[in-house]
Amino acid sequence: LRSQFSRLLKLDDILPGRRNIPFDPKEIRTENKGKYILKEIEINSTSSRRMKIILTIPENISGRCPAVVCIHGHGGTLRIVYDDKSIYKGFASELAAGNYITIATTVSQHEIYEEGRMLMGERLWDLIRCVDYLESLKEVDRKRIGCAGLSLGGEMAMWLGAMDTRIKATLSSGFLTVMDQMEKNHCMCWKFPGLRELADWADVYSLIAPRALLCQNGLKEPANDFTVPLAEKALAEIKMIY
């Protein structure tokens, strides 16, 4: 299933050779946040496209640290997961202050950057490149890399955890549901050719097994959104795989 998804996401041709794409990092700015250092950096996403990331390193780092890819939702910006006044409650800042290395990039775009690619594939590719970059850092414990996100970020955390087995723990917030629920009153960027014929969300989440998975759904979700009964329906299928 992972191999089939790779083809549908139009990533199967570039995933094997991504180690040959140099990062060529360029620091744009550095900020001392007290408990951690925040850097805005530009790196190579593909051989012909650059991407911006936020990277935080604990101020008094000792040895290698666990790392988390922090993912925003629709309308999100590069730094918003670090903003405690946003709907994300600054969860990336909390992690950064708690001796985690964090990384974030932008996945809210709705345009396709490169010919022959597709939207969800490019979003996922940039997150995979974030994991690649984390692995290149001497400060990162490569055996303890996780991801977390809310809304579209919860969706992308699901995809990243499912498709990249280097992710050891996945937190998907505000997304666990069934595909039928998302066919109306939702941004349709989730749906791409071949997906529904192949799987439902429970199948994608199940690719994370046996690695750690935490899903959060709000009790106050509106009736047409990511309600707990729908989440429990999907979770029952995921539990069978685990």
Side-chain angles (χ1 to χ4, degrees):
L1 185 59
R2 190 176 289 121
S3 177
Q4 290 174 293
F5 280 145
S6 179
R7 186 180 71 254
L8 291 178
L9 289 161
K10 298 186 178 180
L11 295 177
D12 55 337
D13 63 320
I14 54 173
L15 277 170
R18 72 181 191 279
R19 303 285 186 187
N20 298 323
I21 303 173
F23 294 111
D24 191 18
K26 177 185 176 183
E27 285 194 18
I28 299 171
R29 60 179 57 87
T30 299
E31 302 170 20
N32 191 322
K33 298 293 187 179
K35 292 185 177 181
Y36 61 92
I37 303 298
L38 183 148
K39 297 181 179 183
E40 185 175 334
I41 303 170
E42 189 177 80
I43 62 172
N44 284 328
S45 173
T46 67
S47 57
S48 57
R49 177 168 67 86
R50 302 279 283 172
M51 61 184 278
K52 287 184 178 179
I53 61 170
I54 296 294
L55 178 74
T56 69
I57 304 288
E59 171 69 21
N60 297 311
I61 191 167
S62 176
R64 292 179 179 266
C65 295
V68 180
V69 182
C70 301
I71 315 169
H72 65 71
H74 278 103
T77 54
L78 185 60
R79 293 182 178 228
I80 199 165
V81 289
Y82 297 91
D83 182 358
D84 61 5
K85 295 179 175 60
S86 72
I87 61 170
Y88 307 97
K89 309 295 184 185
F91 79 89
S93 294
E94 293 287 333
L95 289 165
N99 288 325
Y100 286 85
I101 291 169
T102 72
I103 193 168
T105 191
T106 304
V107 294
S108 56
Q109 77 276 12
H110 279 79
E111 75 272 19
I112 298 170
Y113 294 132
E114 295 185 299
E115 187 177 352
R117 301 297 166 202
M118 51 94 72
L119 181 63
M120 290 303 294
E122 287 192 322
R123 288 172 172 172
L124 177 58
W125 172 263
D126 284 354
L127 295 173
I128 291 172
R129 286 296 280 171
C130 284
V131 181
D132 291 343
Y133 192 66
L134 287 173
E135 282 200 323
S136 75
L137 303 175
K138 66 180 186 303
E139 298 92 345
V140 171
D141 182 347
R142 297 173 64 170
K143 295 181 179 179
R144 300 175 70 197
I145 298 176
C147 66
L150 169 65
S151 191
L152 169 64
E155 178 183 6
M156 297 313 302
M158 170 199 69
W159 277 117
L160 183 60
M163 298 297 289
D164 193 331
T165 57
R166 295 172 298 176
I167 297 294
K168 296 300 187 290
T170 299
L171 193 162
S172 174
S173 184
F175 188 74
L176 181 61
T177 187
V178 297
M179 289 182 182
D180 282 348
Q181 176 263 328
M182 297 184 68
E183 289 284 1
K184 294 182 180 179
N185 304 314
H186 287 278
C187 177
M188 295 303 291
C189 65
W190 65 270
K191 192 175 182 180
F192 51 87
L195 175 63
R196 291 222 61 175
E197 293 81 2
L198 192 60
D200 207 320
W201 294 130
D203 303 302
V204 185
Y205 278 107
S206 294
L207 288 176
I208 299 171
R211 292 164 289 136
L213 169 64
L214 171 64
C215 294
Q216 299 176 333
N217 284 64
L219 292 169
K220 296 182 180 181
E221 283 280 331
N224 65 336
D225 276 350
F226 304 89
T227 61
V228 169
L230 284 176
E232 289 176 336
K233 179 181 178 181
L235 186 62
E237 296 186 39
I238 297 167
K239 280 183 175 180
M240 287 192 292
I241 305 298
Y242 272 85

